[in-house]
Amino acid sequence: MQKKLVIVESPAKAKTIEKFLGKDYQVLSSYGHIRDLKAKEFSVDIEHDYTPQYVIPADKRKVVAELKKASAGAEEVLLASDEDREGEAIAWHLAETLGLEPEKTQRIVFHEITKNAILHALNHPRSININLVNAQQARRVLDRMVGFEVSPILWRKVKPALSAGRVQSVAVRLLVEREREIQQFVSEASYRVTAHFLLSDGQTLLKTELNRRLKNREEARDFLQFCRTAEFVVDDISTKPFRKSPPPPFTTSTLQQEAARKLGFSVSQTMIVAQRLYESGCITYMRTDSLNLSDLALGASRETITGTYGEKYYRFRKYQTKSKGAQEAHEAIRPTDMSAPEIHGSVQDKKLYDLIYKRTLACQMADAELERTTITIGIGGKKEKFTATGEVIQFDGFLHVYMESVDEDAEKEQENGLLPPVALNETPGLSEMTAVERFTQRPPRYTEATLVRRLEELGIGRPSTYAPTIQTIQNREYVVRGDRPGKERTYGILALKDGQITSADKTEVVGADRNKLLPTDIGIVVNDFLVDYFPDVMDYNFTASVEKEFDAIAEGELAWTRALDKFYKFFHPIVEATSAVKTVHKVGERQVGIDPQSGEPVFVKIGRYGPIAQIGQGSPDNKDAPKPRFASLMKGQSIETITLEETLKLFDLPRSAGEFEGDEITVGLGRFGPYIRFRDKFISIPKTLNPHTISDEEAIRLIREKRAREAERIIKQFEEEPGLEVLNGRYGAYIACQGVNYRIPKDMKPDELTLEACRKIIELSPTKTGKSRKTGKRNEKGAVSK
């Protein structure tokens, strides 16, 4: 008997769906897209209405063959890929590639993988939505145009193997502009004054703050001097009730942001875990910009809230989607079963599910009711006031379940809690007053989560593109996720106690960053080039307007080929004009000054292996002219900010660090960082040591440590065949011969292997072609010698 064939895009999804369907159904996976544009060709026929030239990748041919065979013998084919543009395109490619007959092919969609949702989808099939397909095709083709036309220009103007992307390049621009804002930021100082007042009971202290900042140390000293003999009186006590409302249910971007703040997840990690939860039937579809919740979910939330916390904790809420062009799915991200506060799974699965569950529950709960009390203390003869503010929760409402986090760089409200009882017109005594120098804060660097929020605010990208965009710019090494050390800063403190004013200076470390997105030198140079030569393509409003056109295509309001034609006719002439431009200096090259010894100019620029410094230019017409000298920049240095003094110091390397066992120790700087060279060995210098100051004792210690590690690694060597060794590796012992590794059978002891036994293992091992890999040793300049 013929079965009905259900095709989904992932095996995990297939496994979950199979549990809900009977023996009349067969569920298979396409493992994602089965067709795409050719990897190394333009694959868009401009002359014939921008027709994409799709191919089946080699690794998908077996899957396609199996699906063809299964579909040919099926009574009906149900295409059950995700209901977003990408999922609709997968369904269309399946129908086209497998040659499915329209009369026996249906499209089914669902937002959650539960039995009810699957059965409902089976009872309400539809045809493929070609508008959604065309919106996906338009994005794919337009991105291919940008990548294939701009990347070759970058290879010629900047360095080989670079690439450009429409959304990715704009994301890098945000990071570069923020980095420059930070570099140009000038901090302004002021003095923050706090005072502790002793209340009438003679024991209770009330902490207050002056309602304005004082401009400088002199003004702060004068103010404290006045307060030595001033009288203080409680001028006002005001109490105001206020409410806090819960945040709406999660969309893709808010889930990514909150998971980063609360759980420390990266954006891609959040999406991987969310995908797992969706495919196992725990949550609804995770790529969405909708705030809508189904009637079923709203009813289930009410039952859970009233049953667990009582009727007063419940409040019905219907959220409106603010995101223009919301199209990825019709519901917010929520649990599929609101009666299940916990799930089985990995620690990460449980943590993310708990976050989603509590957020969904909270959005249907009552407001939190709070009371804010403000006490104002006047200063006799001064218009300034000291204030103290406290908040008390009268009814916790949704806060009983969930409190939204804020970004670490956001200004946090001072939490004073309950204030002590104070009487109006009371005259408290001054216990202590302190004026501390504070500084305006520079703009914060982006985290992955705050970059997603900014992209969403600008209308750039969609739920399905945020994580891939951020991953891509890191993979291309335009951006790194890393730390920045802080700088030491001196600040002043004035204190008034027992009628005496004391003054002191203290130091603090400011500006340290952890786990932030930092543009690399290559990212900065590429960004500057694209902004100079492709200003419209790099414009935030232009990128957002392209997204709106994709939305219009998805709604059937715009022909996708018309949108592509408009873009290409505007974009291609810019590419041709830029390609023809000849520049005197290499893109990104900066002269930092003149070498005082040679009188030659000193440059920094992007070299083949990254940022480098150069002294002199050389002359192709004069063979006797001195050749330019090169040095790699050290980690943490940037071609944007490095000084002449720092640049010249790079040329102090390589240098001698003394002798050991009768041979010289050399310290150098290569493309992989600073190193020690001793005989034919290279030893990396750790971050804790400076290559310019490392002593001979420290160098010898590193050499000995390297020898000890190598001795532990080598199990056996053979004089008759030096190229063959038995070694200890990460996953156990193995045989290494002529650059190829061979497994040792489990029944053999590595330390007892003879040369003949090793040769036999190699002979019986499957032929190893391995990956083509260029290897070699570093020379003093860090280049690779063959």
Side-chain angles (χ1 to χ4, degrees), residues 351-452:
K351 283 182 177 180
L352 194 66
Y353 179 83
D354 182 65
L355 196 65
I356 294 167
Y357 181 86
K358 287 178 177 176
R359 175 88 164 215
T360 307
L361 208 61
C363 81
Q364 293 301 307
M365 292 179 75
D367 288 348
E369 297 173 12
L370 299 94
E371 192 174 77
R372 182 180 288 129
T373 301
T374 303
I375 298 172
T376 305
I377 296 177
I379 310 163
K382 286 275 187 185
K383 62 180 180 181
E384 288 89 357
K385 308 280 186 183
F386 282 100
T387 61
T389 303
E391 288 181 5
V392 180
I393 297 174
Q394 304 289 345
F395 171 62
D396 56 2
F398 77 94
L399 293 176
H400 193 84
V401 171
Y402 184 87
M403 182 176 285
E404 189 175 27
S405 298
V406 295
D407 292 312
E408 61 184 65
D409 300 304
E411 198 169 322
K412 296 179 177 64
E413 292 182 13
Q414 189 175 353
E415 296 176 9
N416 287 335
L418 189 64
L419 296 176
V422 180
L424 196 64
N425 299 321
E426 182 178 334
T427 54
L430 178 65
S431 173
E432 183 180 7
M433 188 178 295
T434 309
V436 181
E437 189 177 15
R438 294 292 80 199
F439 302 85
T440 50
Q441 290 187 329
R442 60 163 174 76
R445 287 186 171 94
Y446 286 105
T447 62
E448 288 190 356
T450 56
L451 181 59
V452 166

Side-chain angles (χ1 to χ4, degrees), residues 151-429:
S151 296
I153 297 175
L154 292 177
W155 303 342
R156 293 195 301 273
K157 306 284 187 183
V158 185
K159 74 184 277 282
L162 295 177
S163 57
R166 183 180 56 86
V167 176
Q168 295 95 318
S169 298
V170 175
V172 173
R173 180 181 180 181
L174 281 169
L175 297 171
V176 172
E177 288 181 346
R178 176 56 54 87
E179 197 65 27
R180 286 186 172 141
E181 283 178 50
I182 292 168
Q183 289 168 8
Q184 293 162 13
F185 181 78
V186 179
S187 186
E188 294 181 4
S190 62
Y191 277 77
R192 174 176 177 254
V193 182
T194 58
H196 287 81
F197 290 99
L198 189 65
L199 301 183
S200 56
D201 63 0
Q203 293 181 336
T204 307
L205 287 174
L206 176 67
K207 185 182 178 182
T208 64
E209 182 175 341
L210 193 68
N211 60 359
R212 79 175 181 92
R213 297 287 176 100
L214 305 179
K215 291 179 183 178
N216 50 47
R217 198 174 189 124
E218 290 70 34
E219 187 179 0
R221 184 180 290 278
D222 291 345
F223 181 80
L224 264 62
Q225 188 70 32
F226 180 86
C227 289
R228 287 176 65 189
T229 55
E231 290 188 357
F232 303 96
V233 62
V234 176
D235 278 351
D236 184 54
I237 302 170
S238 65
T239 300
K240 293 180 181 178
F242 72 100
R243 290 172 173 263
K244 279 186 180 178
S245 297
F250 281 128
T251 62
T252 301
S253 68
T254 54
L255 177 64
Q256 289 167 344
Q257 291 165 51
E258 192 73 341
R261 291 187 292 242
K262 272 191 160 68
L263 308 178
F265 285 8
S266 69
V267 166
S268 58
Q269 185 183 7
T270 299
M271 295 313 292
I272 289 167
V273 177
Q275 176 110 19
R276 209 156 54 221
L277 292 174
Y278 166 68
E279 290 178 344
S280 59
C282 295
I283 63 169
T284 53
Y285 191 53
M286 66 285 157
R287 294 189 187 94
T288 176
D289 41 18
S290 171
L291 296 175
N292 183 43
L293 291 174
S294 68
D295 292 338
L296 191 68
L298 291 170
S301 297
R302 176 173 186 168
E303 282 182 25
T304 302
I305 293 164
T306 55
T308 308
Y309 307 108
E311 191 70 40
K312 66 177 181 176
Y313 275 91
Y314 172 73
R315 179 181 165 184
F316 173 78
R317 298 174 194 272
K318 197 82 172 171
Y319 292 93
Q320 295 297 317
T321 301
K322 295 177 185 175
S323 177
K324 203 169 182 182
Q327 43 76 27
E328 299 293 340
H330 301 307
E331 268 202 87
I333 302 168
R334 61 165 177 84
T336 55
D337 182 2
M338 290 305 299
S339 66
E342 295 180 357
I343 59 161
H344 295 291
S346 69
V347 173
Q348 289 183 339
D349 292 354
K350 289 177 179 178
K351 283 182 177 180
L352 194 66
Y353 179 83
D354 182 65
L355 196 65
I356 294 167
Y357 181 86
K358 287 178 177 176
R359 175 88 164 215
T360 307
L361 208 61
C363 81
Q364 293 301 307
M365 292 179 75
D367 288 348
E369 297 173 12
L370 299 94
E371 192 174 77
R372 182 180 288 129
T373 301
T374 303
I375 298 172
T376 305
I377 296 177
I379 310 163
K382 286 275 187 185
K383 62 180 180 181
E384 288 89 357
K385 308 280 186 183
F386 282 100
T387 61
T389 303
E391 288 181 5
V392 180
I393 297 174
Q394 304 289 345
F395 171 62
D396 56 2
F398 77 94
L399 293 176
H400 193 84
V401 171
Y402 184 87
M403 182 176 285
E404 189 175 27
S405 298
V406 295
D407 292 312
E408 61 184 65
D409 300 304
E411 198 169 322
K412 296 179 177 64
E413 292 182 13
Q414 189 175 353
E415 296 176 9
N416 287 335
L418 189 64
L419 296 176
V422 180
L424 196 64
N425 299 321
E426 182 178 334
T427 54

Side-chain angles (χ1 to χ4, degrees), residues 14 61 199 279 301 378 500 514 572 638 646 656 661 698:
R61 286 172 192 159
L199 301 183
E279 290 178 344
S301 297
Q500 299 297 315
R514 287 185 59 79
H572 187 64
S638 168
E646 291 168 336
S656 175
E661 297 175 348
E698 290 167 330

Side-chain angles (χ1 to χ4, degrees), residues 123-139:
N123 292 327
H124 298 84
R126 62 168 174 82
S127 58
I128 291 170
N129 185 333
I130 200 64
N131 292 328
L132 292 180
V133 174
N134 288 339
Q136 189 273 345
Q137 288 196 102
R139 179 188 292 278

